[in-house]
Amino acid sequence: MSRIPRQIVIETNNTCNLKCLSCPSVDGSIDKYGKGYMDFNFFKSIIDRVEKEKMNTSITLCLNGEALLHPQYFDMAKYITDKGLPWYVTTNTTIWNEELFQMVTEINSCYQIVLSNNGLFTPNSMAIEKCMPGIQRNKSKKNIESFFKLKESKGNNIQAGIKICRRGQDQEELEHLISYWLEAGADFVTIGRILTDCNNGMRMFPCRHFDDMAMYVRYDGNVVPCSFNLHMTNEHAMDMGKLNETESIIKFYNKHEYQQLRFKHYTGEFPWPCNQCAIAYTGDGMEGEMHFRNLKLSQKTIYFHDDYSNTFYSYHPKKTRVSHLRDWQPDEEIINWVKKSGMDLNFEYKTGGR
């Protein structure tokens, strides 16, 4: 009955070269946690175990920070690639890594790259600089366009998308951004929510992040239930423990702390900070076709997919893994398993001061 995470999210580092609005690197929570870089040998041990345990799992090399700042990022990416595991990369477009980008446009295991951009490059828009202080717009634009050209020249099918976070841009600029990047060669454009709504939620359904969706490993080996609630990520609100270099990942993902948290969610009990979280992974989202009302932007059909955190726009339907979709119901299997295990059902998590 073991849960197996569909994704292993690895924090290569939590350092960044920008000061984006509403980012943990700005609010001080990362400084309180402590900045650092994941040890390459520890990283390899994670990947080796994913391969050894034959997990049908993809790897994400990003949690906090700008991942490409890790001095061994290319070596990490190549190690995953050599193992034949699927993975993807997210970057803030400030760094051009020739060796990395050449590799990801020549292989098939890196299935997606997400390029962050938050404003139009027109002179009358300052959204890029206001949303992402420290960025150089001309360098960012050049890096994005260069990657699109490189991908096209290689004929590679990696999905290259633009990620925009709502940080105060007006609606018309967002519409222009969607139109501009889809016409410029992006496979999709994503508009995401800012991860700050952690205190005003009205919870009803269990969160899927720590069910069988993902396992989040910090650079120092600490494991957290999710990367969306900032209390969870940087404030030790609910530690799952520290992963060492040898223990089974599947066994770790099914340890007491994880199973107890799942049990509480399935039975409608949401411990802090889950009880106040408005960005929990619930629901299966909505999808369909749409058109711009302003036909000058585009007259093409745009396919959208909206979920708890992001809205995706593309000229092609978004591929959804059907296995992710299920009607919500209490997971009787895990409830019975927890009861038979003799676990303390009044177990309290170590929380960050609340």
Side-chain angles (χ1 to χ4, degrees):
M1 202 281 304
S2 294
R3 287 292 200 262
I4 299 176
R6 295 187 172 105
Q7 213 175 36
I8 304 287
V9 180
I10 299 175
E11 182 181 65
T12 59
N13 56 282
N14 61 354
T15 56
C16 192
N17 53 357
L18 298 180
K19 296 292 183 181
C20 298
L21 298 183
S22 305
C23 178
S25 64
V26 176
D27 69 10
S29 61
I30 288 182
D31 291 326
K32 291 179 182 178
Y33 184 91
K35 294 182 178 180
Y37 296 80
M38 180 172 283
D39 177 77
F40 186 44
N41 288 328
F42 176 60
F43 170 83
K44 290 194 294 183
S45 78
I46 298 174
I47 304 304
D48 289 343
R49 281 173 280 177
V50 171
E51 179 188 38
K52 180 180 179 180
E53 298 179 43
K54 301 184 185 304
M55 301 166 62
N56 182 22
T57 297
S58 63
I59 309 295
T60 302
L61 293 182
C62 183
L63 202 159
N64 284 308
E66 169 52 39
L68 269 61
L69 287 174
H70 195 293
Q72 292 177 287
Y73 188 90
F74 174 79
D75 298 321
M76 292 176 166
K78 189 174 187 306
Y79 197 78
I80 302 173
T81 300
D82 290 344
K83 296 289 185 180
L85 299 173
W87 63 284
Y88 83 88
V89 57
T90 296
T91 176
N92 63 19
T93 72
T94 61
I95 299 171
W96 181 264
N97 188 320
E98 180 71 21
E99 192 175 26
L100 175 69
F101 294 151
Q102 288 289 343
M103 182 182 73
V104 300
T105 53
E106 293 173 354
I107 60 176
N108 294 318
S109 59
C110 183
Y111 61 91
Q112 179 176 269
I113 182 169
V114 179
L115 307 162
S116 295
N117 172 264
N118 281 271
L120 292 170
F121 290 111
T122 54
N124 60 332
S125 171
M126 294 300 294
I128 295 176
E129 289 81 0
K130 289 181 178 179
C131 292
M132 307 171 73
I135 198 168
Q136 300 177 38
R137 68 161 56 197
N138 291 335
K139 184 177 181 180
S140 173
K141 183 174 186 289
K142 179 182 178 181
N143 287 344
I144 296 172
E145 292 175 344
S146 295
F147 187 85
F148 288 162
K149 290 178 182 178
L150 180 61
K151 175 195 168 186
E152 184 179 11
S153 69
K154 299 284 189 69
N156 190 273
N157 61 0
I158 182 175
Q159 293 288 294
I162 299 294
K163 174 67 179 285
I164 304 161
C165 286
R166 287 185 174 271
R167 291 189 167 100
Q169 309 95 322
D170 61 40
Q171 179 63 25
E172 190 160 356
E173 179 161 9
L174 294 176
E175 292 176 6
H176 278 269
L177 277 166
I178 295 168
S179 171
Y180 176 85
W181 284 118
L182 289 181
E183 288 296 322
D187 293 296
F188 62 89
V189 174
T190 301
I191 296 183
R193 295 172 60 186
I194 292 295
L195 307 180
T196 56
D197 198 359
C198 304
N199 301 308
N200 300 301
M202 295 167 278
R203 296 299 308 282
M204 178 178 179
F205 296 103
C207 182
R208 299 182 184 179
H209 279 299
F210 41 79
D211 183 358
D212 58 353
M213 189 56 59
M215 179 174 174
Y216 302 89
V217 185
R218 302 298 306 270
Y219 75 88
D220 55 3
N222 283 327
V223 178
V224 293
C226 81
S227 64
F228 286 76
N229 188 300
L230 301 182
H231 298 305
M232 292 280 204
T233 310
N234 291 313
E235 297 177 9
H236 299 282
M238 205 177 286
D239 286 337
M240 295 291 105
K242 193 164 187 174
L243 182 71
N244 63 34
E245 293 190 7
T246 60
E247 61 190 314
S248 163
I249 289 178
I250 294 177
K251 286 184 179 179
F252 189 99
Y253 199 61
N254 289 273
K255 63 189 292 189
H256 182 184
E257 289 84 352
Y258 266 115
Q259 297 291 47
Q260 187 67 34
L261 181 57
R262 292 167 188 144
F263 175 86
K264 290 195 173 190
H265 272 245
Y266 288 139
T267 55
E269 180 183 351
F270 304 107
W272 183 86
C274 301
N275 63 330
Q276 299 177 2
C277 183
I279 48 177
Y281 187 173
T282 65
D284 292 315
M286 297 170 285
E287 57 189 14
E289 302 177 8
M290 58 178 285
H291 296 85
F292 283 115
R293 289 178 175 174
N294 181 356
L295 297 181
K296 293 180 180 180
L297 293 177
S298 176
Q299 297 185 33
K300 298 178 182 178
T301 298
I302 296 175
Y303 297 87
F304 77 93
H305 175 95
D306 182 77
D307 63 25
Y308 71 102
S309 177
N310 297 298
T311 304
F312 300 83
Y313 302 92
S314 176
Y315 285 149
H316 308 283
K318 185 182 190 303
K319 294 181 180 179
T320 302
R321 293 174 62 180
V322 177
S323 59
H324 282 199
L325 306 179
R326 62 180 184 274
D327 292 331
W328 178 83
Q329 58 183 355
D331 192 320
E332 296 297 337
E333 185 179 16
I334 196 171
I335 290 174
N336 291 333
W337 184 89
V338 170
K339 288 180 177 179
K340 290 178 181 179
S341 71
M343 286 185 184
D344 178 10
L345 300 185
N346 295 315
F347 175 80
E348 294 294 334
Y349 291 89
K350 296 178 181 179
T351 63
R354 294 207 182 189

